[in-house]
Structures are given as structure tokens and as C-alpha cells.
């Protein structure tokens, strides 16, 4: 099963909104077929593994990291009938599929067809692999990672707004890799105005070449103050841009952006700003399963206050900035008591170049 999980991980960043799945067919102690899901619309891992095994599937054991599908509401044929037709004798499943259209039905259908079914083998590892998919299925909202590059004393910009580059090139390379793995990245309009980021995913030693997969770039801009010459509005192969705004924004400005090919989504106004919960629900409907927040202090504060962040990843440079007028990672008002502080769980720390990476769940 661990080999099947390693196969499944090869689909990282390309399978969304589908889960990552790996499958291995074993007959008489020998691996006779294997496969993994690569992207929506292409064959599922089980089908690929069975096709490779051919007639050696008969009487074999199929190891699969996620419960085989049995419904028709998707781009490809269900896997359960293919498994039954192949002559597989036993199916070993790591994780039950949380999708209500499956969720135990696939395993039950296999048992009704006379196949022996074992579930729960390496289920913790399988669940960790597809935590993004599971969160989206359960909540109908994307799994949100809040990322920040900061100094040891928690600052993300100087008093003048300078923020490039606090962290090392090694950290920046990893962030670009992360961008290529998520469905979308999000910033507030303040970041666009101060930093003018492109928010593309780039590769290569100098980070100059575009990655094959580009995230949807999202700007939260309640009054449509995004400059028309901003880099994030430029047409880039594979990189689309959405601006989330409100009815309070100028209709003339909205039309000007739409003429540039920018999608403008009008959402409810809450306390003078875009409703972030409404935005997350809209993204979930669009099958955006994962979102990277790369904004400044205020959007960080707003996302955290709305309890919309699932994971925090901090790239900490070995430097001290100091000063009351520098910009901290989280804006807004500080709580009056320490008991109101947010506490990360399952903390992991590691070195990356000269930086320290700290990440944990909320």
C-alpha cells in the first residue's frame, strides 16, 4: 500500500478537483500492474493498473489508496464494474471516499460481486495525502493555506513598505512550487498596489520560466482599486485572474476590467468589505479545492478572523527588523487576552537554505 501511495503522490497538483489515487495489482507475490490518476478526464488509477496487468488480473489482489468509484456523475466510467470484470479476487482499500456519492458504496458493491474487501490499511497516510480533497468535499470550500515570509520578530515589511526580499531564494523557489500545486492564490488589493506581484508559478534556477500549471489569481478588491497596469492583470499563458468585489464598486471600472479579459465577481458587502465566506463558497462551487493566501497583514487578519484558514506556513528569515512602524504578519486589532491567541497544532519545523519553515494546522 505504501508503494501505491507513492504512486498516487505523482498526481500532486494536477488531479484537482479529483483526489490523488494510486493502484497496484499483485498476483502470486508479483506486481503485474500499476497506475495513478493524473488529471480529470483521464483514466483512474485502478483502470490503468488493470489494463497493464491484462489477463494476470484474474485471481489477483488490487491495492488502491482510495475507495473505487461506483457512480456516473463524473467524466469517466465508474471503476467498480471494471474491477469486477477483470477477475480481481481481493481489493485492499486504504481510505473510504468521503464523497457522498461513494462513501462505502464502492466497497459494498465489490462485496456484493463476491470480491473480498479489506479497508483501512495505511488509512492515516491516505487521508493525509488527500486532506485538501476531503476538506472540499466536506465543507464545499477550498482548503486554505496562509503563507507568509517574515523576519524572526514577525515583520513582513519595513515602515516604507519594502518587503522584497525578506526570505531566501530557496524559500521563494518552494513557494513557486506550492503555487503550481494549488488551484488558486489570493491577495488583497493593498498587496497589488504596494508590491505589484504577478503571482505566477515559475521554475528554473532564476525563476524565469513559467510552470506548466498556473493557479487562478484572485484579488480581493471591494472598490476596484486595482491599477489597470498591474502585473496580475497581464495575460499569461495558463494564468487567469479573478477580482472579487462588491456592488459598491464602480460599474465603469468593472467594465474596463472585463474588457481586459478579467473576470469580476460581485459578492456581498460585509462591514464595508468583500464577504470572504461568500468568496470561499463561490470558489468551492467552481471546484477550487485548494487556495494559497499570499496577501499582506490585513487580508491575513481577515481570513484568520473569519476562521477560513486550515494551515499556516511561515518562512522565517534569520533577521530582526524591529520598530513599531514595521508591518507585522497579522494586521487588525490584537486580542486583549492571551487566551484569545490562535494556537497551531501538529507543528513541523525544518531548515530551508538560511531560513526556517514553520507550519501547522488551525
Amino acid at each position: 500500500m505504501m508503494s501505491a501511495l507513492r504512486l498516487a503522490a505523482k498526481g500532486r497538483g494536477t488531479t484537482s478537483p479529483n483526489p490523488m489515487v494510486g493502484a497496484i495489482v499483485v498476483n502470486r507475490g508479483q506486481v503485474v500492474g500499476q497506475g495513478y490518476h493524473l488529471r480529470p478526464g483521464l483514466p483512474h488509477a485502478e483502470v490503468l493498473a488493470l489494463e497493464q496487468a491484462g489477463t494476470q488480473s484474474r485471481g489477483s489482489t488490487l491495492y488502491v489508496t482510495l475507495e473505487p468509484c461506483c457512480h456516473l456523475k463524473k467524466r469517466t466510467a465508474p471503476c467498480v464494474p471494471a474491477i469486477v470484470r477483470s477477475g480481481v479476487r481481493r481489493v485492499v482499500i486504504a481510505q473510504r471516499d468521503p464523497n457522498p456519492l461513494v462513501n462505502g458504496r464502492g466497497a459494498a458493491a465489490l462485496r456484493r460481486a463476491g470480491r473480498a474487501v479489506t479497508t483501512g490499511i495505511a488509512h492515516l497516510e491516505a487521508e493525509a495525502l488527500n486532506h485538501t480533497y476531503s476538506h472540499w468535499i466536506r465543507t464545499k470550500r477550498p482548503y486554505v493555506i496562509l503563507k507568509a515570509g517574515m523576519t524572526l520578530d514577525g515583520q513582513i515589511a519595513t515602515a516604507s513598505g519594502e518587503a522584497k526580499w525578506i526570505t531566501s531564494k530557496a524559500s521563494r523557489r518552494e513557494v513557486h512550487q506550492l503555487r503550481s500545486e494549488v488551484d488558486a492564490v489570493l491577495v488583497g488589493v493593498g498587496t497589488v498596489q504596494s508590491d505589484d506581484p504577478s503571482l505566477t508559478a515559475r521554475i528554473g534556477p532564476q525563476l524565469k520560466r513559467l510552470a506548466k500549471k498556473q493557479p487562478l489569481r484572485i484579488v480581493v478588491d471591494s472598490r476596484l482599486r486595482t491599477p489597470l497596469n498591474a502585473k496580475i492583470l497581464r495575460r499569461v499563458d495558463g494564468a487567469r485572474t479573478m477580482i472579487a468585489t462588491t456592488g459598491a464598486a464602480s460599474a465603469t471600472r468593472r467594465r474596463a476590467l472585463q474588457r481586459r479579459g478579467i473576470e469580476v465577481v460581485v459578492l456581498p458587502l460585509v462591514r464595508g468589505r468583500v464577504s470572504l465566506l461568500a468568496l470561499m463558497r463561490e470558489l468551492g462551487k467552481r471546484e477550487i479545492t485548494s487556495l494559497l493566501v499570499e496577501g499582506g497583514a490585513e487580508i491575513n487578519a481577515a481570513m484568520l478572523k473569519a476562521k477560513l484558514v486550515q494551515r499556516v506556513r511561515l518562512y522565517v528569515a534569520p533577521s530582526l527588523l524591529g520598530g513599531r512602524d514595521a508591518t507585522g504578519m497579522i494586521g487588525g486589532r490584537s486580542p486583549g487576552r492571551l487566551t484569545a491567541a490562535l494556537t497551531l497544532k501538529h507543528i513541523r519545523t525544518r531548515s530551508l537554505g538560511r531560513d526556517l519553515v514553520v507550519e501547522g494546522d488551525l
Side-chain angles (χ1 to χ4, degrees), residues 11 15 27 30 44 57 68 89 101 120 149 156 164-165 172 187 189 216 219 229 235 245 251 262 280:
T15 62
N27 198 333
Q30 299 294 316
H44 287 190
S57 295
R89 179 181 59 82
L101 294 172
I156 62 172
K164 295 182 179 179
W165 297 99
R172 298 199 295 278
V187 295
V189 65
L216 172 66
V219 182
N229 63 348
R235 289 183 176 274
T245 190
I262 305 303
M280 294 304 110

Side-chain angles (χ1 to χ4, degrees), residues 1-5 63-66 92-96 118-129:
M1 187 62 76
M2 299 309 295
S3 296
L5 285 164
Y63 293 85
V64 60
T65 59
L66 189 72
V92 181
I93 301 167
Q95 179 190 1
R96 176 183 284 197
T118 303
T119 61
I121 304 300
H123 71 97
L124 292 178
E125 292 84 351
E127 288 165 5
L129 183 70

